[in-house]
Amino acid sequence: MIASHAPTGKGPSTADAATADRTQVDPLAALRTPTDPPWDVYLTGTVFLDIIFTGLDTAPVRGTESWARGMGSSPGGVANMATALARLGLRTSLAAAFGDDHYGEYCWDALETGEHIDLSTSRTIPGWHSPVTVSMAYEGERTMVSHGHDPHPAPGTVPDDEPFGIPDHAPHARAAVASLTPGRSAPWIAEAAGRGTRVFADVGWDDTGAWELAGLTDLAHCEAFLPNAEEAMRYTGASCPRAAAHALTAHVPLAVVTLGAEGAYAVDRRTGESAEVPAIAVEALDPTGAGDVFVAGFVTGTLADWPLADRLAFAGLTAALSVQEFGGSLSAPGWSEITAWWRRVQSLESQAPTPLRRYAFLESLLPHDPSRPWPLRRAVPTIGFGRSA
C-alpha cells in the first residue's frame, strides 16, 4: 500500500493558488477532434456555501462551546464535483441557481473565475438567499448542518420555462454526472443520453427506506453507476459489495462500488472485466467531497479510455489526496498535486515496489517538473475581504 502524508505549512493567496494548481495537463488531448462537443462534462444541482471547521478533538457537546483549530469556506454541494472535474483538466459546464446575496456572488466568482467552470446555463435568482452548510470534521468523520429554500424567482425575473432558474435542457457534452433521486426522474438525463452523452450516476441515501432499483428510473439511461458499498447492497439485497456490483450490471453497463478503506470494485458488463484496487493509506483531515472527487477521477479515466483498473486507481488516488485538506471543492486535487505526490512516493526508499507499479501509468501523463514542494498546502479562501476596484 502506498502511504501519503498530511500537508503542513501556509499556502499562497487564493489567486496564486488557483494559478499555480492549474498545471497544463489535458487527459483527453489525444482524443480531441474538431467535431467534439463543446464540453467534456455537464452537471446540474444545488450549490451551497460551505463553512468548514476542522481540528475539533471531539463532536460538539450540547451546552458547551467548542473551538476549532482550522476554518475555511468554499462553494459546496454540486460545486464539489464540478471543481474536481475542472481541476483534472475536463471542460466542465454547470447549471445551478445562485442567490443574489454575497454568498452567491462569492460562489459564482470562485467557480467561474477561479476554476474556469462554464456557468452560461446557471442563473442568479433575485431575492433568493444561498443555501449554506456548516461542516464540522473530527476523528476522520464529519457532522453537517444545512439550511436553504427552493429557488422560487419573482415573476418575470427568469424565463417562464425555467421555474427554478435552471434550463431543462443540457448542453451537448461528452459526459454528464447525475445524482439520482429515488422516485423522481430528471428528463434531461434521457435527453442527454439520446444525444450520445455518457451519463455517470451516483445516488444519495434513500430516506424512504424502500431501496428499490425500479425507483431509479433514470438508471436505464446511464453508462455507469457509482454507489458506496452500503447503498449497493441495500439496492440489490446482496450480502457483500462485490456481489452487489455484479448484480447492478443487470441494470447498468458499468457498476463501481466504493469500499471505503478497502478501496473500490468495478464490473463492466460489456467486456466481462472486473477490477479491484485497494485504498491509499492517508491521514484523513476531512472526508467532505471525497466521493465527488472519486467520481470525477473515474469519469476522467473513462473519457480518456484508460483500462478499468487504472481508472479505479486514479479515482482512489484523487479521493485520497482530497481528504488530506478540508472542504469539498477546496480540497479537490489538480495535476500539480498528483505530480508532486507521484514524485514524492517514488523518492521514498522504503516504498514497496508493487504499489508503485500499480500507479506507473501516471508517468506518461504527468509533467516532468519536480520543482513544486511536497507536502502542498492549498489557500484557505474566506468571505469578508472586498474586491479590488
Side-chain angles (χ1 to χ4, degrees):
M1 181 176 291
I2 292 181
S4 192
H5 306 273
T8 58
K10 184 179 179 181
S13 69
T14 304
D16 290 342
T19 301
D21 285 335
R22 195 161 292 282
T23 303
Q24 296 301 311
V25 174
D26 181 359
L28 308 187
L31 303 176
R32 296 197 185 279
T33 69
T35 59
D36 285 343
W39 308 113
D40 295 327
V41 187
Y42 167 79
L43 64 167
T44 184
T46 303
V47 172
F48 287 76
L49 185 280
D50 279 358
I51 302 172
I52 308 101
F53 294 99
T54 63
L56 292 165
D57 295 322
T58 62
V61 178
R62 184 173 59 182
T64 66
E65 181 179 15
S66 299
W67 280 82
R69 291 187 292 274
M71 178 265 181
S73 54
S74 62
V78 71
N80 295 339
M81 180 80 72
T83 299
L85 292 161
R87 288 185 180 174
L88 292 177
L90 298 185
R91 300 168 183 170
T92 303
S93 181
L94 169 64
F98 291 79
D100 64 348
D101 52 8
H102 290 310
Y103 288 175
E105 180 185 67
Y106 165 79
C107 289
W108 184 293
D109 186 61
L111 295 172
E112 184 178 59
T113 304
E115 305 297 343
H116 303 288
I117 294 168
D118 169 65
L119 299 179
S120 61
T121 55
S122 292
R123 298 289 184 268
T124 296
I125 308 300
W128 180 58
H129 73 75
S130 301
V132 176
T133 291
V134 175
S135 177
M136 293 162 282
Y138 53 90
E139 298 176 353
E141 291 296 336
R142 59 181 174 171
T143 297
M144 296 187 294
V145 178
S146 297
H147 172 73
H149 303 280
D150 286 337
H152 293 287
T157 59
V158 299
D160 292 339
D161 62 346
E162 299 175 10
F164 295 99
I166 301 172
D168 289 332
H169 305 286
H172 191 201
R174 294 175 185 263
V177 178
S179 185
L180 305 184
T181 303
R184 187 184 304 172
S185 179
W188 73 264
I189 296 177
E191 179 186 331
R195 290 202 305 266
T197 296
R198 304 164 73 176
V199 182
F200 296 76
D202 62 10
V203 68
W205 190 257
D206 188 352
D207 291 329
T208 70
W211 296 102
E212 295 178 350
L213 281 169
L216 302 179
T217 55
D218 288 325
L219 191 60
H221 308 295
C222 295
E223 157 103 0
F225 186 40
L226 298 95
N228 63 33
E230 183 68 18
E231 294 160 349
M233 290 189 292
R234 286 180 178 267
Y235 272 116
T236 61
S239 59
C240 77
R242 293 159 187 81
H246 285 273
L248 286 172
T249 59
H251 305 272
V252 66
L254 179 57
V256 181
V257 177
T258 55
L259 309 175
E262 296 181 36
Y265 183 79
V267 183
D268 190 328
R269 181 185 70 203
R270 292 162 300 191
T271 64
E273 181 183 11
S274 64
E276 182 168 1
V277 173
I280 295 175
V282 296
E283 182 180 348
L285 175 64
D286 179 11
T288 304
D292 295 323
V293 174
F294 181 94
V295 173
F298 190 81
V299 169
T300 300
T302 301
L303 294 184
D305 203 24
W306 298 348
L308 184 59
D310 289 355
R311 287 181 258 166
L312 279 186
F314 185 72
L317 168 61
T318 55
L321 293 178
S322 77
V323 302
Q324 295 177 93
E325 293 286 354
F326 61 77
S329 62
L330 183 63
S331 66
W335 286 101
S336 56
E337 285 92 347
I338 297 167
T339 301
W341 172 85
W342 179 235
R343 302 301 178 217
R344 171 63 175 166
V345 297
Q346 285 180 303
S347 70
L348 297 175
E349 294 182 0
S350 61
Q351 181 62 63
T354 299
L356 281 179
R357 288 195 293 270
R358 168 62 273 165
Y359 292 89
F361 70 93
L362 291 172
E363 190 62 45
S364 62
L365 296 167
L366 302 178
H368 295 279
D369 179 10
S371 60
R372 292 205 68 198
W374 179 266
L376 301 177
R377 185 73 177 176
R378 281 196 180 278
V380 180
T382 189
I383 299 172
F385 298 110
R387 293 183 182 177
S388 299

